[in-house]
Amino acid sequence: MTHIDKVLYTGKVHTSSGGRNGTALSDDGRLDIKLSSPGTSGAGTNPEQLFAAGWSACFIGAMGLAASKMKVALPVDLAVNAEVDLGTTDGAYFLQARLNVYLPGLDREVAQDLVDTAHQTCPYSKATRNNINVVINLV
C-alpha cells in the first residue's frame, strides 16, 4: 500500500443515516445533494453516479498531465463517459466499470498512449486497479 507523503486536499462529506436514500453535504457547502437508490423513483443521485463523475473528471485531468508531458494538445471536445455497474456475485455486492474515452482528431496511437498513461496515473484508476473489473475504451 502506498502512503501519502503530502496531502494536497481532503474532501469531507457528511452523509445522513438514510444512506442511499439520505443526503450528502460537504463541509464547505459546495456539495449538497439528495441520494436515492438506483432504479427507484427518488429525486437524488446515487453513489455509482457520483463515482462515475469523479473518476471521469479525474481521468480527464490525468490525460491533461500526460498530454502536457507529451507536448500534445488535447481536443477541446474530448469527453469521458464513465459507466459504473453495481451488481452481485454469489450474493455479494460488487462494482465494475467502463471508461469510454473520446479524443476526436488525435492520431489513434497518440490517443491510446494518452489513455494508457492516464490510466496509470489517475488516482481513481490506481484505487480500482486489481480490485474491480475495469475496461477502458478509446472510441
Side-chain angles (χ1 to χ4, degrees):
M1 177 185 313
T2 302
H3 294 279
I4 294 176
D5 291 330
K6 179 181 178 184
V7 174
L8 301 175
Y9 175 77
T10 300
K12 297 179 183 178
V13 175
H14 172 83
T15 301
S16 71
S17 64
R20 285 184 172 271
N21 296 302
T23 60
L25 176 65
S26 63
D27 65 333
D28 62 5
R30 295 172 79 177
L31 177 73
D32 185 359
I33 57 172
K34 294 178 183 176
L35 300 169
S36 55
S37 293
T40 67
S41 60
T45 188
N46 59 65
E48 292 73 28
Q49 290 172 330
L50 292 169
F51 188 70
W55 193 355
S56 57
C58 184
F59 200 86
I60 289 172
M63 286 193 302
L65 289 173
S68 176
K69 289 179 183 176
M70 294 171 60
K71 302 199 183 323
V72 172
L74 288 176
V76 294
D77 53 348
L78 75 89
V80 175
N81 291 342
E83 301 171 352
V84 175
D85 301 323
L86 171 66
T88 60
T89 298
D90 297 327
Y93 290 97
F94 293 95
L95 298 176
Q96 65 182 16
R98 289 163 306 287
L99 298 182
N100 300 305
V101 182
Y102 298 87
L103 292 168
L106 285 185
D107 175 80
R108 183 143 186 103
E109 187 175 313
V110 171
Q112 189 64 59
D113 284 346
L114 285 171
V115 168
D116 292 344
T117 301
H119 191 48
Q120 292 303 311
T121 59
C122 172
Y124 281 75
S125 293
K126 289 178 184 180
T128 59
R129 188 167 294 116
N130 299 320
N131 290 313
I132 69 171
N133 183 31
V134 175
V135 175
I136 309 288
N137 297 308
L138 178 58
V139 291

